[in-house]
């Protein structure tokens, strides 16, 4: 077995790898994102998706949404280390949270004519895509949904002339009136 580049190598079979979404509520100040991303980089953790936006202008609060994966022990370390960063106010883990809604937006450019064009339109309709730009030889689709839905659509567009993909990253929120 070959050891990967992570400083925290854990042999296979010891613990399952879990994918989770973390919401990190931070003080909106210069360098905060660099500190959060630096924590992941320095310890060899991977960020699969990253979304950042100010959520409360008056309180100078931002929300960093991170999708990452690791063993339960590694994820516990990530949450604890994030919580110790000075500008971090709160860390919320959405793993296994059936009361959470996660969505992502993608813009997908497809080039094609004739039957390929017709098939791309048919699939886009089935996935409930919006057409954002169209020409005689191309389409740009907007698709919102789960990351899996976006992945599935992109995979179907590859043989039809996929040209470019731009994704926003995951946004997650709990259902109901409960706040974080």
């Amino acid at each position: 077995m070959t050891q990967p580049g992570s400083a925290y190598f854990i042999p296979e079979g010891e613990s399952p790898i879990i994918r989770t979404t973390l919401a990190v509520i931070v003080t909106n100040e210069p360098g905060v994102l660099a500190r959060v991303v630096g924590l992941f980089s320095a310890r060899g953790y991977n960020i699969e998706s990253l979304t950042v936006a100010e959520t409360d202008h008056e309180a100078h609060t931002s929300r960093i949404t991170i999708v990452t994966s690791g063993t339960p022990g590694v994820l516990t370390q990530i949450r604890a280390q994030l919580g110790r960063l000075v500008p971090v106010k709160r860390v919320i883990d959405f793993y296994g949270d059936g009361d959470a809604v996660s969505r992502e937006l993608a813009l997908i450019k497809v080039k094609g004519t004739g039957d390929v064009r017709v098939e791309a339109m048919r699939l886009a309709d089935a996935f409930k895509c919006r057409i954002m730009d169209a020409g005689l030889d191309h389409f740009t689709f907007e698709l919102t949904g789960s990351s899996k839905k976006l992945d599935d659509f992109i995979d179907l567009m590859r043989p039809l002339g996929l040209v470019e993909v731009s994704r926003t990253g995951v946004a997650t929120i709990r259902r109901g009136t409960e706040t974080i």
Side-chain angles (χ1 to χ4, degrees), residues 126-178:
F127 276 79
K128 297 181 174 47
C129 293
R130 290 181 52 201
I131 298 172
M132 303 309 293
D133 180 43
L136 295 174
D137 64 347
H138 75 279
F139 286 106
T140 300
F141 299 110
E142 175 188 81
L143 179 58
T144 304
S146 68
S147 294
K148 180 171 180 1
K149 178 181 178 180
L150 274 58
D151 290 340
D152 290 347
F153 182 73
I154 291 165
D155 288 343
L156 289 170
M157 290 296 113
R158 284 187 204 289
L160 298 178
L162 180 69
V163 175
E164 186 176 353
V165 176
S166 178
R167 295 174 79 154
T168 61
V170 175
T172 302
I173 196 165
R174 284 209 172 100
R175 296 180 191 271
T177 59
E178 181 184 345

Side-chain angles (χ1 to χ4, degrees), residues 12-173:
E12 289 181 31
E14 287 193 16
S15 293
I17 300 297
I18 298 168
R19 186 173 193 229
T20 192
T21 303
L22 302 171
V24 185
I25 309 304
V26 299
T27 303
N28 188 12
E29 58 187 41
V32 173
L33 180 60
R35 284 189 242 166
V36 170
V37 170
L39 182 146
F40 277 77
S41 176
R43 288 158 181 81
Y45 305 144
N46 188 40
I47 295 175
E48 297 174 23
S49 173
L50 178 68
T51 308
V52 184
E54 186 174 58
T55 54
D56 187 340
H57 185 68
E58 291 179 14
H60 300 289
T61 302
S62 290
R63 181 179 180 139
I64 302 172
T65 305
I66 302 168
V67 177
T68 190
S69 56
T71 63
V74 166
L75 295 177
T76 298
Q77 278 185 324
I78 290 171
R79 286 189 303 272
Q81 291 166 353
L82 283 170
R84 285 194 289 271
L85 292 176
V86 173
V88 172
K89 295 180 175 189
R90 190 159 179 216
V91 178
I92 300 93
D93 189 346
F94 287 101
Y95 176 73
D97 193 340
D99 287 335
V101 177
S102 293
R103 292 293 179 263
E104 187 175 0
L105 172 102
L107 297 174
I108 300 126
K109 188 183 298 185
V110 179
K111 181 178 178 182
T113 57
D115 289 343
V116 170
R117 182 180 173 84
V118 172
E119 181 64 7
M121 286 294 297
R122 187 186 68 75
L123 289 169
D125 185 52
F127 276 79
K128 297 181 174 47
C129 293
R130 290 181 52 201
I131 298 172
M132 303 309 293
D133 180 43
L136 295 174
D137 64 347
H138 75 279
F139 286 106
T140 300
F141 299 110
E142 175 188 81
L143 179 58
T144 304
S146 68
S147 294
K148 180 171 180 1
K149 178 181 178 180
L150 274 58
D151 290 340
D152 290 347
F153 182 73
I154 291 165
D155 288 343
L156 289 170
M157 290 296 113
R158 284 187 204 289
L160 298 178
L162 180 69
V163 175
E164 186 176 353
V165 176
S166 178
R167 295 174 79 154
T168 61
V170 175
T172 302
I173 196 165

